[in-house]
Amino acid sequence: MDIVDSPAKMRTLAGTLRAKCGTLGLVPTMGALHEGHTSLIASAVSECASVVVSIFVNPAQFAPTEDLDTYPRTFELDLEVCRSRGVAAVYAPTPEAMYQDGFDTWIEVPSMSAGLCGLHRPGHFRGVVTIVAKLFNACKPDRAYFGEKDFQQFVLIRHMSEDLDFGVNVIACPIVREKDGLA
């Protein structure tokens, strides 16, 4: 399993994987992988020749009142999960690689992000959609897998992908619940 930390290296590896194997799937995550993530990985592995899991705690989707610093980071455990599930590569860029000095380009889907979660988390979806666009550009996936648990996010990303002609098939996967019903 390859571990890649920059967009340029990821683009190169994605080209290699696609040429050798065919269909490339992407499972975007912020790490701290759990059963919901592993179900996305399983779907991707079953439908694609190669799978990339991204692990990036995206500072742009955290509001000033949310604590980016306390977001769980379990990178070594996440790598083991990916290895054991047959993932071809983990894309784990640094914040500096994703948001270079002077970064000032953002993607928004205003008609779909103002209500529901967006009402209580201003700017959140701008950060999410922008980083997913950057992941799509670096990984060049044929398919990308998202959980229905974050349905508004899924709809925004699918809409962005269609509007910007990424050519990525954005797949919604069923919610995985704990025994007590928690998603």
Side-chain angles (χ1 to χ4, degrees):
M1 181 177 78
D2 292 297
I3 302 168
V4 183
D5 65 359
S6 77
K9 291 175 188 174
M10 188 64 242
R11 278 190 293 277
T12 299
L13 180 58
T16 301
L17 290 172
R18 181 173 281 107
K20 283 184 180 177
C21 304
T23 307
L24 183 60
L26 171 65
V27 179
T29 80
M30 291 205 310
L33 302 181
H34 51 68
E35 287 184 38
H37 295 114
T38 59
S39 73
L40 299 176
I41 293 168
S43 292
V45 166
S46 74
E47 297 174 2
C48 300
S50 295
V51 174
V52 173
V53 171
S54 66
I55 298 175
F56 181 68
V57 180
N58 180 20
Q61 69 189 65
F62 286 81
T65 58
E66 298 171 331
D67 199 350
L68 170 66
D69 294 333
T70 62
Y71 192 87
R73 289 166 174 84
T74 58
F75 190 67
E76 293 303 320
L77 293 172
D78 294 344
L79 291 179
E80 189 49 45
V81 168
C82 291
R83 261 188 214 98
S84 71
R85 302 296 193 289
V87 169
V90 170
Y91 178 37
T94 64
E96 296 78 20
M98 298 307 276
Y99 298 109
Q100 310 82 351
D101 285 340
F103 183 88
D104 195 30
T105 302
W106 301 97
I107 300 173
E108 296 187 60
V109 186
S111 65
M112 298 179 167
S113 60
L116 302 172
C117 293
L119 184 64
H120 304 288
R121 298 182 78 189
H124 170 73
F125 287 121
R126 179 181 89 154
V128 169
V129 173
T130 299
I131 201 62
V132 171
K134 291 176 73 68
L135 294 172
F136 284 4
N137 278 330
C139 297
K140 307 287 188 208
D142 298 293
R143 300 168 68 93
Y145 295 80
F146 297 87
E148 290 177 338
K149 175 181 164 280
D150 299 311
F151 193 73
Q152 184 177 16
Q153 174 178 288
F154 163 75
V155 170
L156 286 161
I157 290 166
R158 183 181 58 195
H159 191 79
M160 176 271 300
S161 181
E162 291 169 357
D163 278 358
L164 298 181
D165 298 316
F166 277 107
V168 176
N169 186 1
V170 180
I171 309 295
C173 296
I175 296 171
V176 172
R177 296 191 180 274
E178 297 196 19
K179 291 180 183 183
D180 66 1
L182 182 65

